[in-house]
Amino acid sequence: AVVSTQSGHYGRDAYLKKKKSGTGGKFVQMEDVNCRIKPGCMKHPPWPEGICTQCQPNAVTLNQQEYRHCDYIEFEAPHIIENFIRYWRETGLQRVGFLSGRYEVEEHIP
């Protein structure tokens, strides 16, 4: 797998190929994380009024994403994205947006 020197991240296909290479199969094995509160503890009132270290789920640490889904996006009407980004810059609040279009393979991107 080749790492792009431009972003420091694997392309999605290169990342999946790297992950699959050690599994010997078609699918990548994902870790199943249990984030449920253990029921039946008598040391405190039931959740959400109380919780103890015996009942609470293990801490979850998120890692930086190792790959990128998309390398390049081109907008037909720049004012659409400018409005989206301006709101974020002015308020500091996050927003969600959906992109629609077509995917084109770029030969110079791994």
Side-chain angles (χ1 to χ4, degrees):
V2 178
V3 176
S4 169
T5 56
Q6 186 178 28
S7 68
H9 288 78
Y10 285 98
R12 180 183 174 275
D13 292 336
Y15 175 76
L16 290 176
K17 184 176 180 180
K18 175 185 168 228
K19 292 296 274 187
K20 289 178 191 176
S21 67
T23 63
K26 182 178 176 184
F27 301 103
V28 176
Q29 190 73 353
M30 303 301 283
E31 183 181 342
D32 186 22
V33 179
N34 182 352
C35 294
R36 294 192 176 115
I37 296 171
K38 295 177 188 140
C41 184
M42 305 305 278
K43 298 178 183 177
H44 53 80
W47 173 260
E49 285 77 32
I51 193 167
C52 68
T53 57
Q54 308 290 314
C55 304
Q56 70 185 15
N58 293 334
V60 175
T61 303
L62 300 177
N63 294 329
Q64 182 178 356
Q65 183 171 299
E66 296 180 36
Y67 67 94
R68 59 190 184 274
H69 277 292
C70 185
D71 294 302
Y72 177 77
I73 299 173
E74 187 172 318
F75 295 93
E76 188 172 315
H79 70 276
I80 295 171
I81 193 65
E82 288 167 3
N83 183 39
F84 190 87
I85 293 173
R86 187 182 72 247
Y87 175 84
W88 171 67
R89 288 178 177 155
E90 290 174 357
T91 65
L93 299 174
Q94 295 186 15
R95 297 177 98 182
V96 63
F98 295 94
L99 297 174
S100 64
R102 66 180 184 275
Y103 178 78
E104 294 180 9
V105 176
E106 293 285 338
E107 296 300 324
H108 65 278
I109 297 176

